[in-house]
Amino acid sequence: MEFEKDKSTAAVDHSKRVTMVILILWFFPVLCLAKSKKNQLTYTNKSKNKASKLFVKKDNKSGFPAIVGKAKPLLPLIVLDPGHGGKDPGAIGYSGTYEKHISYAVSLELLKQLTHTGRYRVKLTREIDQFIPLDGRVEFAQKHKANLFISLHADALGNHSVRGASVYTLSNHASDSLSAALATTENSADRYAGPNVKVVSPAVQKILASLVQLETKKESMTLAKTVVRSFNNRVGLLNNPRRHAGFVVLKSCDVPSILVEMGFMSNRMDESQLRKAMYQGLVASSLKNAINHYFDIGGSITHLTG
């Protein structure tokens, strides 16, 4: 009897141990999973706290967190203005080439080259073949707070022997009769706009220069000088290539602005070159180099935070 009792007790103990082992084996994975989640939550909280300490500090006055550090400053914005467009073809070349197509092609190439440098943001006043009034081009540059405004053209003259590029800044008096004639031609572009757009009168053109701040005017002249130097020995230049006249499209009072005449569509050789992609790339490359140099020497520094 004693032996049978001990045997029964041993069986019960064995059954208990088996049950306990089974329970342990069943609960162990659950415990491990719970511990893992706890550790993961702790790590996440620590990471968040660490990130908070890195980027946020408490504003002692308001009690609200304040951002530590500053956002990366915006790159300078250059607005390129392809002359004419839409119902305004601009000058018609010796063999029938439209100025609006040449100015747009060079603008696109210059946009590509400037963007590739990684130094600038670039926008076009027109991205398709459309007509935009002169004031609309100026307003576009001002609205986007441009650091530079460059209007690209290739005009025509009655004298077909005249050829070469030139660069213009705004003035209330033209530097010469040729510049005066070009300004009159370019300023008449708004005739395509119809009766709803007011064309700027010669009297208003004479006072445009007074709207230009002194610093902006100086920077425009610096840029013009830099472009002429960059064109030298690469792009054919007109005699006395740095000129000035009352161009309406240059009248922005707070954006350094120049108008580049890349050549004359009325000259057979100029038109022939301007039609070639290689020459268009050369003009764009020369302008890109001039813009790089302009900013390297601190140009437009007063407008970089505008």
Side-chain angles (χ1 to χ4, degrees):
M1 291 290 294
E2 190 97 9
F3 173 76
E4 288 181 0
K5 184 178 181 181
D6 292 340
K7 186 176 180 180
S8 176
T9 304
V12 172
D13 292 341
H14 177 72
S15 177
K16 288 182 178 179
R17 284 196 296 270
V18 170
T19 303
M20 185 173 294
V21 169
I22 292 173
L23 289 174
I24 290 173
L25 291 175
W26 188 79
F27 278 110
F28 184 74
V30 177
L31 292 172
C32 289
L33 181 61
K35 185 176 182 182
S36 175
K37 288 185 176 181
K38 181 180 180 181
N39 291 339
Q40 185 178 5
L41 182 61
T42 302
Y43 177 78
T44 303
N45 290 335
K46 286 182 178 179
S47 299
K48 287 182 178 180
N49 291 336
K50 186 176 181 181
S52 299
K53 290 178 181 178
L54 285 173
F55 299 107
V56 180
K57 67 178 181 180
K58 195 171 184 180
D59 188 333
N60 292 330
K61 293 182 179 180
S62 64
F64 292 103
I67 300 300
V68 176
K70 297 181 179 179
K72 186 177 180 181
L74 288 175
L75 297 174
L77 173 63
I78 299 171
V79 169
L80 303 178
D81 174 44
H84 309 281
K87 55 190 174 183
D88 173 16
I92 300 177
Y94 199 90
S95 64
T97 308
Y98 285 178
E99 177 186 3
K100 67 176 183 178
H101 294 148
I102 298 298
S103 63
Y104 184 67
V106 176
S107 295
L108 282 182
E109 177 61 25
L110 180 54
L111 180 148
K112 182 178 73 175
Q113 293 192 24
L114 288 172
T115 303
H116 185 70
T117 67
R119 299 179 59 177
Y120 315 104
R121 292 172 295 139
V122 188
K123 289 183 178 293
L124 300 180
T125 55
R126 66 177 178 94
E127 296 184 349
I128 58 174
D129 185 15
Q130 68 177 125
F131 174 79
I132 299 177
L134 298 176
D135 281 344
R137 299 168 189 263
V138 177
E139 290 170 3
F140 181 91
Q142 292 175 325
K143 175 184 175 181
H144 290 89
K145 298 183 179 180
N147 300 104
L148 284 183
F149 177 86
I150 300 176
S151 191
L152 296 170
H153 293 261
D155 220 309
L157 294 173
N159 185 350
H160 295 178
S161 65
V162 179
R163 63 180 304 231
S166 50
V167 186
Y168 293 85
T169 52
L170 180 66
S171 174
N172 56 342
H173 297 293
S175 55
D176 53 87
S177 58
L178 188 150
S179 300
L182 288 178
T184 299
T185 300
E186 296 295 351
N187 292 345
S188 66
D190 278 347
R191 68 185 182 277
Y192 291 94
N196 293 328
V197 175
K198 185 178 179 181
V199 177
V200 179
S201 68
V204 173
Q205 293 174 24
K206 291 182 180 180
I207 64 172
L208 288 179
S210 65
L211 300 175
V212 181
Q213 297 176 358
L214 179 60
E215 190 63 27
T216 303
K217 187 174 182 179
K218 285 168 59 180
E219 290 183 12
S220 299
M221 293 174 68
T222 298
L223 177 60
K225 182 187 294 185
T226 304
V227 170
V228 168
R229 285 179 178 174
S230 184
F231 275 4
N232 195 27
N233 298 325
R234 301 188 76 198
V235 177
L237 288 168
L238 191 66
N239 292 332
N240 303 316
R242 192 156 59 90
R243 303 180 178 218
H244 52 264
F247 291 95
V248 172
V249 78
L250 301 181
K251 74 176 187 177
S252 175
C253 62
D254 57 356
V255 182
S257 308
I258 62 171
L259 185 146
V260 178
E261 288 285 356
M262 299 175 287
F264 291 93
M265 302 296 287
S266 50
N267 180 273
R268 184 192 296 269
M269 296 182 68
D270 269 4
E271 184 207 28
S272 176
Q273 287 186 310
L274 287 168
R275 286 166 56 94
K276 298 175 182 176
M278 183 177 294
Y279 190 76
Q280 293 171 3
L282 181 63
V283 172
S285 175
S286 300
L287 284 168
K288 178 201 70 176
N289 292 340
I291 292 167
N292 285 342
H293 181 69
Y294 173 78
F295 281 101
D296 287 342
I297 62 176
S300 198
I301 195 68
T302 58
H303 300 274
L304 291 176
T305 58

